[in-house]
């Protein structure tokens, strides 16, 4: 009898709530959907039923451009459960063209400081994770490899 | 309101470090026993209790045989104990409690009787951060700093120097876990945890605890140790998710909590003789110095690497060695308060004899903040 082999843990799959379901439905349709306030017209993320800028509950969904730039990141050498094969991997925050920021992964590019340049242009793409289509970003324009 | 309160008792667990013989609750109990003894009191004198969950005020009070008439379970991360001091001072001022025990204990390293923390996958962090491979503070608290480096020119060497400066304080402290001097080159050669952070730019993970007794300033002189006056206090919050921090180059929560505490105490930065800034990672003293107004935006890295905060410098910072070298159980705020108390009492291993000491606490990952202005005399 050898040592028991730990069961591999899958990567976490987001569990939508009623408030966030339209976002995940958008991802499944290949669209990055954000909310904006009808009163103050500001787009925001993460999904919630009230505008964080002015408190209005008059909010609506719209489809974002999918364009972003790289705002900041780390390259993680201590993988989360399920991410062992990916390490080291970047955990990034991107600046969406519409204004809000979101955490994401940067795909299609080496996970190195040399290849990941702050403010580089990015474009959304989607990865299947269980039943969820997860928004991730890849280099855009002349940064495409 | 806080001017009416003093810290009359303050103590850590007998040891800090790797303590597999204690549960989290056991560490709370030992810290409480030591703090009550330090104040020359017994548990019968305690009528208020504050601590974070878990284990929470009910488990701790019951274990100690206390039936409080006031309790506070504020649990907003490692700064919670600073908020407990503020809340206790307010409760004492209006007569809701007379003698409040605040406890911290955490089996952060050995994980004996410790709570698990993982965000539920339906929570906002669970839906919008965890799927990208975050795994605790090393993967998230660290994310803002590359933006700060690009916008303000902070160098890798300056970031590393924060750990070097604090190790110089730790070298003077027999209770510090790491005491051997280190160089910038050694910090940058330590293994990468989450680029740009190397191991020596990340805090320790230890077991330990600490506790405080807060009571009315009317009782100054009734206790064996010199009173430490709570001159001002502030608290604030900013974001439950690092990705939603409005500006990655500053902490609004640090700034707001600090401004409230300084205003209540009626002090400015030039009145401060000693400073503790919660340092889970090497960038926090940089963000903290700027948020409190000790230096202008973008200047803190050079301020530290020029030697201003290390032994011999004019603004002694993190004189116990900090979370980077002294100890860090997970919720470090209690240890930052305790070092300020030791400094004001003249008990610190590396004493700098301050009249006023400021403690800046962080909770979560730039999620919450508390600031205390503590003094040797009532202002």
């Amino acid at each position: 009898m050898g040592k028991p082999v730990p069961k591999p843990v899958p990567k976490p799959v987001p569990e939508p709530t009623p408030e966030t379901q339209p976002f995940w439905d958008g991802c499944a349709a290949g669209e990055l959907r954000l909310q904006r306030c009808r009163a103050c017209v500001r787009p925001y993320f993460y999904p919630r039923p009230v505008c964080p800028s002015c408190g209005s509950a008059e909010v609506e969904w719209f489809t974002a451009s999918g364009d972003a730039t790289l705002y900041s990141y780390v390259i993680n050498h201590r993988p989360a459960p399920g991410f062992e094969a990916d390490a080291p991997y970047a955990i990034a925050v991107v600046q969406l063209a519409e204004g809000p920021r979101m955490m994401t992964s940067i795909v299609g590019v080496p996970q190195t400081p040399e290849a990941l340049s702050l403010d580089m242009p990015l474009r959304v793409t989607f990865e299947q994770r269980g039943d969820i289509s997860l928004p991730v970003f890849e280099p855009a324009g002349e940064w495409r490899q | 309101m806080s001017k009416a309160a003093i810290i009359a008792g303050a103590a850590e667990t007998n040891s800090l470090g790797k303590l597999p013989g204690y549960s989290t609750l056991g560490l709370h109990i030992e810290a409480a026993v030591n703090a009550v003894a330090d104040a020359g009191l017994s548990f019968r004198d305690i009528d208020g209790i504050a601590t974070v969950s878990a284990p929470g005020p009910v488990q701790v009070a019951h274990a100690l045989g206390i039936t409080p008439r006031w309790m506070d379970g504020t649990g907003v991360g490692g700064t919670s104990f600073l908020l407990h001091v503020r809340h206790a001072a307010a409760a004492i001022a209006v007569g809701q409690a007379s003698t409040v025990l605040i406890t911290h204990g955490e089996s952060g390293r050995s994980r004996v009787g410790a709570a698990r923390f993982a965000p539920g996958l339906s929570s906002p962090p669970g839906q919008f951060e965890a799927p990208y491979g975050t795994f605790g503070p090393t993967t998230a608290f660290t994310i803002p700093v590359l933006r700060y480096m690009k916008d303000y020119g902070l160098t890798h060497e300056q970031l590393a120097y924060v750990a070097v400066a604090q190790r110089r304080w730790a070298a003077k402290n027999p209770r510090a876990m790491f005491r051997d001097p280190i160089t910038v080159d050694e910090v940058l050669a330590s293994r990468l945890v989450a680029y740009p952070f190397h191991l020596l730019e990340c805090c320790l993970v230890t077991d330990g605890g600490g506790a405080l007794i807060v009571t009315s300033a009317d009782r100054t002189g009734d206790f064996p140790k010199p009173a430490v006056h709570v001159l001002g206090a502030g608290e604030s919050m900013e974001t439950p998710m690092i990705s939603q921090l409005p500006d990655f180059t500053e902490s609004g929560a640090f700034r707001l909590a600090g401004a409230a505490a300084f205003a209540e105490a009626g002090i400015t930065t030039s009145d401060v003789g000693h400073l503790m800034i919660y340092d889970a990672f090497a960038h926090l003293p940089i963000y903290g110095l700027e948020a409190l107004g000790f230096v202008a935006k973008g200047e803190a890295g050079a301020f530290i690497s020029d030697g201003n905060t290390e032994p011999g410098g004019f603004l002694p910072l993190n004189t116990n060695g900090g979370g980077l070298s002294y100890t860090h159980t997970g919720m470090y705020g209690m240890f930052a308060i305790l070092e300020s108390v030791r400094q004001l009492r003249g008990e610190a291993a590396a004493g700098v004899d301050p009249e006023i000491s400021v403690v800046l606490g962080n909770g979560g990952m730039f999620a919450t903040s508390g600031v205390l202005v503590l003094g040797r005399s009532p202002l």
Side-chain angles (χ1 to χ4, degrees):
Chain A
M1 294 266 294
K3 276 169 63 173
V5 181
K7 245 194 344 201
V9 178
K11 290 179 177 178
V13 180
E15 294 174 2
T17 57
E19 295 81 6
T20 65
Q21 188 66 54
F23 175 82
W24 295 112
D25 289 346
C27 292
E31 292 182 354
L32 188 67
R33 292 180 190 162
L34 301 177
Q35 287 167 296
R36 74 183 151 216
C37 176
R38 289 202 185 102
C40 75
V41 202
R42 287 194 191 145
Y44 64 90
F45 178 84
Y46 52 100
R48 49 215 198 266
V50 64
C51 169
S53 293
C54 75
S56 169
E58 294 294 314
V59 299
E60 64 185 2
W61 290 91
F62 72 101
T63 300
S65 63
D67 295 330
T69 54
L70 182 54
Y71 184 61
S72 202
Y73 66 90
V74 290
I75 302 171
N76 182 30
H77 290 253
R78 286 186 179 173
F83 290 78
E84 294 81 359
D86 298 348
Y89 59 91
I91 304 171
V93 173
V94 296
Q95 173 81 60
L96 301 176
E98 289 77 11
R101 294 192 201 113
M102 62 185 293
M103 186 174 281
T104 192
S105 303
I106 310 298
V107 301
V109 63
Q111 306 287 287
T112 63
E114 295 71 29
L116 295 167
S117 187
L118 291 202
D119 303 314
M120 68 193 285
L122 302 165
R123 167 134 202 94
V124 74
T125 180
F126 297 89
E127 276 186 5
Q128 202 62 28
R129 174 89 56 88
D131 293 337
I132 287 285
S133 190
L134 190 68
V136 297
F137 285 76
E138 60 187 4
E142 57 194 38
W143 290 77
R144 283 185 76 88
Q145 307 211 334
Chain B
M1 188 176 282
S2 335
K3 290 185 186 183
I6 58 169
I7 295 172
E12 294 179 350
T13 46
N14 298 343
S15 303
L16 304 169
K18 194 172 182 182
L19 307 170
Y22 291 81
S23 69
T24 287
L25 181 59
L27 293 163
H28 279 261
I29 291 170
E30 186 172 285
V33 167
N34 291 348
V36 166
D38 182 74
L41 297 174
S42 82
F43 287 118
R44 281 188 299 279
D45 301 310
I46 304 299
D47 66 351
I49 180 97
T51 189
V52 297
S53 295
V58 178
Q59 278 192 35
V60 173
H62 188 265
L64 299 172
I66 297 168
T67 305
R69 64 186 175 106
W70 178 89
M71 66 191 102
D72 179 6
T74 301
V76 291
T79 197
S80 299
F81 315 100
L82 285 80
L83 274 59
H84 296 153
V85 170
R86 186 180 198 230
H87 302 171
I92 290 162
V94 297
Q96 292 176 353
S98 72
T99 311
V100 174
L101 169 67
I102 303 170
T103 67
H104 165 64
E106 194 165 2
S107 183
R109 183 183 182 102
S110 304
R111 312 297 304 166
V112 183
R116 290 177 57 92
F117 57 84
L121 290 174
S122 61
S123 70
Q127 290 187 66
F128 301 111
E129 291 196 338
Y132 301 106
T134 56
F135 189 45
T138 58
T139 59
F141 213 163
T142 48
I143 292 178
V145 85
L146 276 187
R147 173 49 58 183
Y148 183 100
M149 293 172 87
K150 177 164 183 183
D151 287 1
Y152 289 95
L154 178 76
T155 66
H156 291 279
E157 289 74 16
Q158 286 172 330
L159 187 62
Y161 196 89
V162 175
V164 172
Q166 293 196 192
R167 187 62 64 85
R168 289 184 180 161
W169 286 115
K172 297 169 172 285
N173 188 349
R175 270 173 75 87
M177 188 147 171
F178 290 143
R179 302 182 59 205
D180 295 338
I182 48 173
T183 65
V184 166
D185 287 346
E186 285 167 341
V187 175
L188 295 177
S190 64
R191 68 187 163 80
L192 277 167
V193 171
Y195 172 86
F197 287 85
H198 305 80
L199 185 66
L200 292 176
E201 293 160 322
C202 305
C203 68
L204 307 170
V205 182
T206 61
D207 306 322
L212 299 165
I213 308 289
V214 179
T215 189
S216 167
D218 297 342
R219 295 169 71 190
T220 301
D222 293 354
F223 303 96
K225 300 286 182 67
V228 168
H229 294 261
V230 182
L231 304 176
E235 64 191 78
S236 191
M237 59 151 277
E238 192 157 31
T239 175
M241 291 188 279
I242 196 71
S243 61
Q244 302 306 310
L245 186 71
D247 182 340
F248 275 28
T249 68
E250 64 183 42
S251 165
F254 287 6
R255 178 170 42 78
L256 293 172
F262 278 50
E264 186 178 36
I267 64 156
T268 67
T269 53
S270 59
D271 298 313
V272 178
H274 173 253
L275 183 57
M276 297 298 293
I277 296 178
Y278 194 112
D279 58 325
F281 295 92
H283 60 316
L284 292 192
I286 292 170
Y287 282 62
L289 282 167
E290 294 179 5
L292 293 177
F294 284 96
V295 293
K297 187 90 176 272
E299 291 180 356
F303 183 78
I304 293 171
S305 64
D306 287 345
N308 291 301
T309 63
E310 63 193 58
F314 84 92
L315 183 61
L317 169 67
N318 292 345
T319 49
N320 58 355
L324 296 177
S325 287
Y326 179 66
T327 205
H328 196 300
T329 52
M331 287 186 281
Y332 169 76
M334 175 61 80
F335 298 101
I337 303 170
L338 288 166
E339 173 67 7
S340 281
V341 170
R342 288 191 296 263
Q343 288 286 355
L344 292 164
R345 286 175 167 185
E347 292 177 347
V352 298
D353 199 27
E355 278 297 318
I356 290 179
S357 174
V358 167
V359 192
L360 166 61
N362 165 81
M365 295 171 276
F366 290 125
T368 62
S369 181
V371 173
L372 297 178
V373 179
L374 304 176
R376 199 169 272 180
S377 348
L379 278 179

